[in-house]
């Protein structure tokens, strides 16, 4: 809903959960000239498709093999394109997983491993990305997040 279809012609959504992709299709079909929704595991298989200019990867590296995911994302990002990564940071004020009655969200706690931002910088570098900007933001609930912006380097 925050992507301007007058500016952005093609949007690619990738998720391991087909139900999420179905909900996305219902909500956004017809909004963009080209909406491509792919059911895939970014860390488990080689991704197919035309590379994009911008990849937004928020709160995903905590749940996947970071190196494998970065290799796959690199293959899907055009040269000089950007990767924006959002990492959850440790907090003494807020639990890693917000308490909820939703069972599928509660079960994420055992799968989550917080990622140290410098480790992502190193992994991204190995995957062909260079860090261009980094900041920390705090949610109203007191959780802190690292927001890192990378640019895809030319292939060597």
């Amino acid at each position: 809903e925050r992507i301007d279809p007058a500016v952005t012609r093609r949007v690619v959504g990738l998720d391991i959960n087909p139900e999420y992709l179905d909900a996305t299709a219902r909500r956004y079909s017809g909004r963009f000239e080209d909406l491509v929704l792919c059911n895939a595991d970014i860390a488990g298989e080689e991704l197919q498709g035309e590379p994009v200019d911008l990849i937004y990867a928020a709160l995903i590296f905590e749940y996947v093999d970071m190196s494998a995911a970065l290799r796959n994302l690199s293959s899907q990002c055009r040269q000089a394109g950007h990767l924006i990564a959002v990492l959850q940071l440790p907090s003494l004020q807020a639990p890693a997983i917000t308490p909820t009655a939703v069972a599928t969200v509660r079960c994420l706690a055992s799968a989550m491993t917080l990622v140290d931002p410098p480790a992502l910088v190193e992994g991204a570098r190995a995957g062909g990305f260079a860090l261009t900007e980094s900041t920390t933001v705090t949610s109203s609930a007191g959780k802190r997040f690292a927001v890192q912006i990378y640019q895809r380097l030319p292939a060597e």
Side-chain angles (χ1 to χ4, degrees), residues 53-57 61 70 73 77 81-85 120 124 129 148-152:
D53 294 317
L54 174 66
I55 297 172
Y56 183 68
F61 293 109
L70 286 164
L73 293 177
C77 188
H82 291 87
L83 165 67
I84 301 174
L120 184 61
F129 291 98
Q148 298 178 330
I149 301 174
Y150 296 90
Q151 186 167 33
R152 177 75 171 93

Side-chain angles (χ1 to χ4, degrees), residues 61-123:
F61 293 109
E62 294 85 351
Y63 300 96
V64 299
D65 177 304
M66 182 177 65
S67 296
L70 286 164
R71 275 192 309 275
N72 281 335
L73 293 177
S74 178
S75 75
Q76 294 301 297
C77 188
R78 288 192 178 126
Q79 183 175 317
H82 291 87
L83 165 67
I84 301 174
V86 180
L87 300 174
Q88 184 171 323
L89 299 173
S91 172
L92 297 176
Q93 293 79 26
I97 302 291
T98 302
T100 178
V102 180
T104 55
V105 173
R106 284 195 318 266
C107 75
L108 291 175
S110 64
M112 179 188 217
T113 302
L114 295 180
V115 175
D116 187 38
L120 184 61
V121 172
E122 289 303 313

Side-chain angles (χ1 to χ4, degrees), residues 2-11 31-33 53-54:
R2 295 188 179 181
I3 300 172
D4 184 349
V7 176
T8 303
R9 178 189 68 78
R10 180 171 168 258
V11 174
R31 180 172 165 85
F32 300 99
E33 185 177 322
D53 294 317
L54 174 66

